[in-house]
Structures are given as C-alpha cells and as structure tokens.
Amino acid sequence: MIRSTSTRLARFLGAHLAPLLLALLWATVLSSYAWLRHTRINSSTFDLGIKAQVIWNTWQGDWFASSVEVSNYLGDHVQLIFLLLAPLLGLWADARVLLIVQSILLSLGAIPTYRIALRKLDDRWLAIVFSIVYLLFPLLGFVNRFDFHPVVFTIPFFLAAYDLLESDHPWWATLFILLSLSLREEVGLTVFAFGIYVAVFMGQRRLGLIWSASGLAWSLIALFAIIPHFRGGSSDTVGRYAWLGDSLKQILDTLITKPGVVLKHLLVPYRAAVPIKLLLPVGFLALISPAPLLVTVPALAYNLLSETPSQSSIYFQYLAPAVPFVFIAAIQGARRVQGWLDERQARAILTIWLGLGTLLAWAWD
C-alpha cells in the first residue's frame, strides 16, 4: 500500500515537474513579498489582524471570537475554513504563517491550470505557457499582497475541482467544492453557477444539480440566517446595495424595472474596466469559447453592483471566484485557435499572443 502510494506520487511529480517548479518559485516570490510587507508594518488590522486573531482564538477553543466589530466573527463572515487553519497558528503563532499558506495555495493553482491545458490542447509547451500566464496574472499578485483573505483560495480550489471532474474523479472534485463553500458566504453563488455549467456543458447532470442546489442553499443560509443570528441584525454586506433598495424585494424590483439606473452604475469607468482587466492577460481568448464565463456572472454581479469601490477592483480579493473560469474559457478558446491553424503556427501565435496580453496587463496595472 505504502509502495503503491509512493509510486503514484513519484509519477505525479514526474509528470508535473515543470508547473510544480514554477509554482514553488512563484510561491517563494509571493510569500517573500508578503513577509516583508508585514515585517515593515504595512499589513493591517483590517484584514490580517482580524483573521489572525479569530483563527488564534478558535485554536484556543474560543471559536470565532473577535474583539473587532463583532464579538463573534460569524456575525461578519462565515468562513469555516478557519477551523482547518487554526492548527497552523497552533504550530507557529505568527500571522505570517497565514501569508505563506496563501502564497503557496495561490501558486499551486498553476498545476490544475497546466493539467487542464495539457488535456485540452495536447501540447506540453502551451500547457506550460498557460501555467506561467496563470502565475503572472495581475490579480493573483495583488490579492496576495493585500493581507490574508481565504476567499482567494477559490482560485486553486475551483481549478482543481474542474480538473478532477474532467479527469473522472467526481468525489475529489466535490471535496474541493465543499472546501470552497467554507471560504466565505457568497461563494455558494458561484458554486450554484458552476453546478449548472457542470450539468449542462459537462454531461454530469445529477452531480451538477447537487452542487448547484448546495451552493445556493449554503449562501442563503449563511447570509440570511447565520450572519444575522450572530450579528443581531442583517449583514452589513447587504448595506452595500442600499442604492438598489432597502429590502431584497426592492433590490430585485430595481434590477428588473430600472435597467437604465443599473446600467449607469455599471458604466462608471473603474467598474466597466473590470471585465477587460480579467480578460486581457489571457489575450481575450476566453471570448472565443465563452461558456465557462457564465460561471463568473454571480461574482461579477454582486461585486459590480456593490457601492463599495474595492469590490470592483482587481487589487482586492472580491473578484477571485471569477478567475478560474476565465482561464478555463481561455484554454478552450486556445483549442479552437488550434483548429484554425497547423500545430507550429498555433503554438507560436498562442505563445506570442498570451505573452503580449500578459505584458499589456502588467503595463496597465
């Protein structure tokens, strides 16, 4: 049993050596930057301090206790992943361990990106190129720089879930979906859309509908039951949509009956730029095969409709759930480009095009 496990591990490492080395290199870069930022007192109580305190208190047995804003953190956000992170602070009582874990997990997303690209494109070079583009994706560095936010783990978790489902490991894929739901209350809305995509486009109707129903139910319970219970009132997150109405009914009514008002809100330049900033690093290839982009709709909707400017910025954590599906769509778009050209032309053009998109994105931000 042990020999069999070690053999499988050795084969996996051998088959994924290039993206693994790239991921480790970038994890070192990201964690070093985050470490130095914290050491030079540029991290903040909002949000690293809050989360480190709550995770530490949870490890001490005072689950989700907080001394900032709310007495119990579940009255602010439902992030059950803290239960899994708590032992880390038990081993090393330093907030920097959270920054390192975040850097590593974000970087490891290069591996499922590589696997998805290799499977769809059947070209090892292009699979490596996509893993590099993933690591250099501007949002990835920005969200890692801004303290610690477990919601950004949706990036590697959703990529892993898609990869595992496509490679016929539905139970392991479901584990990553469950982990994703533990990251933050609104992630269930993206899981809802992901489940519909799985049911319609991936031929896994039953599993997709289970994911979809579970995601929607979890977000509704977390937003309208758990948070109000521990907060003693409605979530302050709901207040970010007060311009649409004072209740869920009024908000829906505004969205349906006043499209001009909504459009005016969305066309503010920094909000209108968000889709461009997400698509530019992958050379807009996602638009050639846009079906996976449907999964980004919930995250784009609840962020761009918010009055809080940071939710419409790639410099912060909020848009993270949309990123995996931008890459999945871009990889599928690249496969279509392959069908239009011969192998050498496709490899050269896609490499240059992706490199150009990434350079332009870096120049912009």
Side-chain angles (χ1 to χ4, degrees):
M1 179 68 177
I2 296 175
R3 180 177 296 178
S4 175
T5 302
S6 61
T7 300
R8 286 198 297 268
L9 179 60
R11 286 176 179 173
F12 179 86
L13 293 176
H16 302 86
L17 184 60
L20 181 58
L21 290 176
L22 288 169
L24 292 176
L25 172 63
W26 203 240
T28 303
V29 172
L30 292 179
S31 58
S32 297
Y33 184 93
W35 180 293
L36 289 172
R37 181 176 180 269
H38 179 73
T39 302
R40 296 184 179 188
I41 320 178
N42 284 316
S43 56
S44 61
T45 300
F46 295 88
D47 292 311
L48 179 60
I50 293 174
K51 290 175 173 58
Q53 182 201 50
V54 173
I55 294 171
W56 170 253
N57 287 340
T58 297
W59 172 249
Q60 296 297 306
D62 198 1
W63 284 22
F64 298 99
S66 174
S67 64
V68 183
E69 289 190 319
V70 290
S71 60
N72 189 296
Y73 186 74
L74 293 176
D76 192 12
H77 295 296
V78 183
Q79 297 184 293
L80 301 183
I81 193 70
F82 285 4
L83 297 172
L84 297 180
L85 294 171
L88 294 175
L89 283 183
L91 293 172
W92 182 22
D94 191 313
R96 285 172 291 191
V97 70
L98 301 176
L99 300 176
I100 293 172
V101 167
Q102 180 172 266
S103 301
I104 292 172
L105 284 178
L106 283 174
S107 298
L108 286 176
I111 295 176
T113 301
Y114 171 85
R115 286 170 53 84
I116 295 166
L118 181 60
R119 189 163 50 246
K120 291 187 178 297
L121 304 177
D122 194 26
D123 188 311
R124 194 171 299 276
W125 169 255
L126 287 177
I128 292 173
V129 168
F130 265 105
S131 64
I132 293 173
V133 171
Y134 166 83
L135 292 170
L136 295 179
F137 197 73
L139 181 144
L140 205 72
F142 287 134
V143 300
N144 193 73
R145 178 187 67 179
F146 180 51
D147 289 348
F148 174 75
H149 301 90
V151 71
V152 305
F153 299 169
T154 53
I155 300 175
F157 287 178
F158 281 146
L159 284 168
Y162 182 91
D163 170 43
L164 288 163
L165 184 59
E166 199 173 53
S167 57
D168 200 26
H169 294 89
W171 290 108
W172 284 108
T174 301
L175 173 62
F176 279 98
I177 292 297
L178 292 174
L179 286 172
S180 297
L181 290 175
S182 76
L183 298 177
R184 208 166 128 134
E185 59 276 2
E186 74 273 17
V187 172
L189 300 177
T190 299
V191 171
F192 166 74
F194 193 4
I196 292 175
Y197 178 85
V198 167
V200 175
F201 294 98
M202 298 185 71
Q204 299 268 10
R205 184 176 179 182
R206 183 180 178 184
L207 182 63
L209 293 178
I210 290 173
W211 284 9
S212 189
S214 300
L216 183 59
W218 172 246
S219 281
L220 292 176
I221 291 169
L223 285 166
F224 299 107
I226 297 176
I227 291 177
H229 172 76
F230 285 96
R231 193 178 188 89
S234 62
S235 169
D236 67 332
T237 301
V238 178
R240 299 178 181 185
Y241 307 91
W243 69 277
L244 287 166
D246 296 327
S247 66
L248 182 59
K249 181 179 181 300
Q250 289 181 2
I251 290 173
L252 292 175
D253 183 66
T254 302
L255 290 173
I256 295 170
T257 63
K258 298 180 180 178
V261 173
V262 176
L263 188 61
K264 182 179 179 181
H265 174 86
L266 295 176
L267 290 181
V268 172
Y270 72 87
R271 291 193 184 98
V274 166
I276 299 173
K277 290 190 174 188
L278 289 175
L279 296 173
L280 177 58
V282 294
F284 296 97
L285 289 173
L287 297 177
I288 300 176
S289 183
L293 295 181
L294 295 173
V295 188
T296 70
V297 170
L300 290 176
Y302 64 69
N303 282 308
L304 297 183
L305 288 173
S306 170
E307 282 191 304
T308 304
S310 58
Q311 286 188 242
S312 299
S313 170
I314 67 169
Y315 305 131
F316 301 96
Q317 71 276 9
Y318 301 101
L319 292 162
V323 172
F325 306 100
V326 169
F327 272 89
I328 292 167
I331 291 168
Q332 292 187 6
R335 182 172 62 180
R336 288 195 173 183
V337 173
Q338 280 183 319
W340 302 337
L341 306 167
D342 65 43
E343 183 178 345
R344 285 189 176 183
Q345 285 179 328
R347 182 180 297 170
I349 289 174
L350 286 170
T351 299
I352 294 170
W353 188 251
L354 287 165
L356 182 61
T358 297
L359 286 174
L360 289 173
W362 272 56
W364 189 352
D365 285 299

